[in-house]
């Protein structure tokens, strides 16, 4: 998708309203420059380009949110499916989170070689700095995946969710520090409501202790989950910061592939050292209670859905901001609970109902705030365009008067 090549360099704004506004203003300015004083014509051109850019932006945003939505819900349900049917390997559940990276070759190569919808050859925009940063962040993501799996496997569901609920608040803090995210009423209100919602969710979850949970294992699980929450809160704004140097969405997918590759190298080293691949074989033959075929299908679907989840997250961060990405992910936690109720018949008590309502309230008020802000920006943009057009028109008139004077003067001479 080459249409987002005009990523503004100086002012990478932190929400999608500003981002699309800037894209449109750049388009507008270019059109105005190109068309000189043919005000009527370029006015039409400007409107067309602006609405096309906006439509494409919204299309891409929709696709990414769909990936995040489908990926997050299905990977959560499938991870639970794996553990419910006696799968127990921490290394396997770490590895499946990144091993699907070759799937990203499809959106990377299809547009250039098959669809021919872009002139940009894949992997051409990488500088050594961007490449090494992608690898570094990939390792960080791999380590996060490991901690996330350890926390999931050692801690009771409720405690794990309770600790993870701090992740969004961490993300707010790190994005203020790293990308200078402004704290507004809308985002603070949303972070507080979603955090409250996750805390309630955790309190309303089952208190089943995994069998054989010793104090030391509990501590390992606790600190793993705290570490995972912190790392993820670091990962989101770091990606946003790097994306300031990225000029198109295609490159975001390519960077994502490099990151997932690095995370997979880490997970594969862990798997090899800890005999994870052998464990996988054993689990498939003797442990998984639905049989070998179901085991491998579960692994494959886990691999695919985790890729959707992470690609959706990266796209959301690029198209909006790290905080909005984090908010969208957290809001999906409540949907994940509903998924558990529908698919596994989990109970849906009062606490979960209140938690879901808080989540819907937090997320919808945030979306409404963004919508209002976008409208305000659009109004500002319209008056800005009008001013540009008028200036352009007046300049054209001025030049015309000057030329007439010269011609008249020369004619007289
Ligand atoms: N730390 C962390 N890792 C994840 N991996 C997938 N989802 C999450 C999440 O919400 N937090």
């Amino acid at each position: 998708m080459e249409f987002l090549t005009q990523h503004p360099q100086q002012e990478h704004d932190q929400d999608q309203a500003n981002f699309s506004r800037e894209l449109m203003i750049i388009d507008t300015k270019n059109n105005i420059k190109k068309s000189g004083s043919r005000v009527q014509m370029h006015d039409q051109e400007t409107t067309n380009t602006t609405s096309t850019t906006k439509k494409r932006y919204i299309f891409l945003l929709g696709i990414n949110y769909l990936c995040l939505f489908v990926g997050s819900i299905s990977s959560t349900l499938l991870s639970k499916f794996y553990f419910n049917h006696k799968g127990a390997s921490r290394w396997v559940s770490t590895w499946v989170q990144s091993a699907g990276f070759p799937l990203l070759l499809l959106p990377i190569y299809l547009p250039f070689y098959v669809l021919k919808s872009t002139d940009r050859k894949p992997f051409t925009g990488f500088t050594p700095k961007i490449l090494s940063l992608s690898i570094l962040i990939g390792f960080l993501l791999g380590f996060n995946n490991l901690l996330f799996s350890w926390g999931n496997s050692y801690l009771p569901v409720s405690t794990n969710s309770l600790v993870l609920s701090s992740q969004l608040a961490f993300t707010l803090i790190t994005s203020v520090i790293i990308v200078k995210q402004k704290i507004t009423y809308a985002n603070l209100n949303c972070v507080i409501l979603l955090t409250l919602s996750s805390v309630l969710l955790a309190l309303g979850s089952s208190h089943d202790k995994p069998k054989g949970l010793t104090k030391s294992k509990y501590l390992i699980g606790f600190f793993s989950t705290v570490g995972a929450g912190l790392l993820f809160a670091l990962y989101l704004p770091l990606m946003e910061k790097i994306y300031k140097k990225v000029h198109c969405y295609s490159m975001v997918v390519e960077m994502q592939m490099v990151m997932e590759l690095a995370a997979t190298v880490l997970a594969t080293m862990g798997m090899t050292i800890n005999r994870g691949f052998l464990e996988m074989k054993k689990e498939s033959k003797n442990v998984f209670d639905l049989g070998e075929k179901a085991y491998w299908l579960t692994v494959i679907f886990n691999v695919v859905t985790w890729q959707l989840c992470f690609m959706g997250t990266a796209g959301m961060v690029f198209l909006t901001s790290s905080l909005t990405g984090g908010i969208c992910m957290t809001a999906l936690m409540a949907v994940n609970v509903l998924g558990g109720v529908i698919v596994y018949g989990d109970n849906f008590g009062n606490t979960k109902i209140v938690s879901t309502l808080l989540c819907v309230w937090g997320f919808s008020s945030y979306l409404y705030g963004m919508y209002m802000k976008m409208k305000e920006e659009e109004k500002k943009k319209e008056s800005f365009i009008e001013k540009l057009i008028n200036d352009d028109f007046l300049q054209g008139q001025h030049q015309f008067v000057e030329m007439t004077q010269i011609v008249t003067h020369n004619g007289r001479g």
Side-chain angles (χ1 to χ4, degrees):
M1 305 255 185
E2 266 299 283
F3 44 79
L4 285 173
T5 49
Q6 307 273 23
H7 202 299
Q9 287 299 297
Q10 303 105 326
E11 261 189 39
H12 176 80
D13 265 344
Q14 289 160 345
D15 59 53
Q16 60 112 339
N18 284 355
F19 181 71
S20 52
R21 179 181 65 88
E22 284 183 7
L23 287 172
M24 287 183 251
I25 286 175
I26 289 170
D27 281 340
T28 308
K29 278 182 180 169
N30 288 343
N31 282 344
I32 284 169
K33 271 184 203 151
K34 269 186 229 153
S35 53
S37 58
R38 285 172 294 141
V39 178
Q40 299 264 311
M41 226 174 106
H42 81 59
D43 199 13
Q44 188 57 44
E45 272 174 30
T46 301
T47 316
N48 291 345
T49 319
T50 306
S51 75
T52 313
T53 310
K54 196 173 164 188
K55 268 187 207 152
R56 285 169 171 173
Y57 173 78
I58 289 174
F59 172 74
L60 204 52
L61 197 65
I63 293 268
N64 272 278
Y65 196 69
L66 191 70
C67 286
L68 178 59
F69 189 88
V70 174
S72 172
I73 295 175
S74 43
S75 60
T76 307
L77 291 175
L78 282 163
S79 299
K80 199 168 170 186
F81 188 79
Y82 168 76
F83 287 116
N84 276 356
H85 293 282
K86 311 262 187 296
S89 167
R90 258 157 246 130
W91 281 106
V92 172
S93 74
T94 304
W95 189 76
V96 293
Q97 289 184 55
S98 57
F101 70 87
L103 291 171
L104 296 178
L105 288 172
L106 286 175
I108 291 175
Y109 281 101
L110 277 185
F112 183 74
Y113 287 105
V114 182
L115 304 174
K116 307 219 184 288
S117 57
T118 175
D119 293 334
R120 181 182 169 278
K121 232 180 155 183
F123 293 102
T124 44
F126 276 78
T127 60
K129 193 174 169 190
I130 289 189
L131 183 64
S132 38
L133 281 173
S134 304
I135 295 173
L136 219 66
I137 294 188
F139 285 137
L140 185 123
L141 182 65
F143 191 47
N144 165 75
N145 292 347
L146 177 65
L147 292 179
F148 189 68
S149 306
W150 275 15
N152 271 336
S153 71
Y154 282 134
L155 287 184
V157 181
S158 53
T159 319
N160 193 42
S161 317
L162 200 59
V163 180
L164 262 187
S165 63
S166 56
Q167 185 170 285
L168 186 59
F170 287 150
T171 306
L172 179 64
I173 296 169
T174 48
S175 58
V176 167
I177 297 170
I178 297 173
V179 287
K180 310 273 177 284
Q181 167 73 50
K182 280 189 210 112
I183 298 186
T184 60
Y185 168 76
N187 61 30
L188 191 62
N189 177 55
C190 177
V191 169
I192 292 173
L193 287 174
L194 287 183
T195 307
L196 269 177
S197 158
S198 321
V199 169
L200 275 182
L201 200 64
L203 295 177
S205 301
S206 108
H207 286 71
D208 289 348
K209 263 192 171 189
K211 272 180 214 150
L213 180 71
T214 60
K215 184 144 188 165
S216 63
K217 280 185 181 170
Y218 180 87
L219 284 177
I220 293 175
F222 181 83
F223 286 112
S224 298
T225 304
V226 172
L230 280 172
L231 280 185
F232 211 70
L234 198 63
Y235 162 75
L236 295 176
L238 276 181
M239 286 209 301
E240 185 181 340
K241 184 134 183 138
I242 297 181
Y243 289 157
K244 286 179 188 177
K245 312 239 179 318
V246 170
H247 307 283
C248 57
Y249 181 77
S250 327
M251 198 161 158
V252 172
V253 186
E254 290 157 14
M255 282 175 65
Q256 187 62 22
M257 201 191 120
V258 174
M259 286 180 202
E260 296 289 352
L261 171 66
T264 308
V265 168
L266 203 78
T268 307
M269 275 163 54
M271 284 281 269
T272 314
I273 294 168
N274 292 282
R275 297 169 182 266
F277 291 110
L278 264 178
E279 208 176 339
M280 233 173 163
K281 240 183 168 176
K282 252 196 238 164
E283 264 189 347
S284 72
K285 285 198 187 319
N286 312 321
V287 183
F288 203 66
D289 62 13
L290 294 177
E292 201 174 344
K293 200 171 158 197
Y295 180 85
W296 291 113
L297 280 177
T298 309
V299 169
I300 290 170
F301 281 121
N302 256 297
V303 163
V304 174
T305 52
W306 274 113
Q307 269 327 290
L308 280 179
C309 180
F310 280 120
M311 192 55 242
T313 311
M316 289 302 289
V317 172
F318 176 69
L319 295 168
T320 62
S321 68
S322 45
L323 186 63
T324 305
I327 284 173
C328 292
M329 279 190 88
T330 310
L332 284 178
M333 278 187 190
V335 185
N336 285 339
V337 171
L338 289 182
V341 172
I342 294 166
V343 178
Y344 297 114
D346 293 352
N347 78 320
F348 194 58
N350 288 342
T351 349
K352 280 188 187 169
I353 294 174
V354 177
S355 158
T356 308
L357 289 177
L358 279 178
C359 176
V360 171
W361 175 19
F363 193 53
S364 50
S365 63
Y366 184 69
L367 288 184
Y368 180 71
M370 286 212 349
Y371 172 74
M372 292 309 283
K373 201 170 165 199
M374 202 162 93
K375 281 203 121 181
E376 204 179 290
E377 297 288 344
E378 233 158 63
K379 255 191 203 161
K380 271 191 211 160
K381 183 203 77 194
E382 268 163 24
S383 59
F384 176 73
I385 292 172
E386 235 165 61
K387 191 176 171 302
L388 278 179
I389 290 170
N390 285 340
D391 286 355
D392 200 31
F393 183 65
L394 286 177
Q395 204 181 344
Q397 272 193 332
H398 185 68
Q399 279 171 358
F400 179 73
V401 171
E402 268 181 5
M403 275 179 68
T404 320
Q405 281 171 349
I406 292 167
V407 169
T408 318
H409 179 81
N410 287 348
R412 273 193 206 129

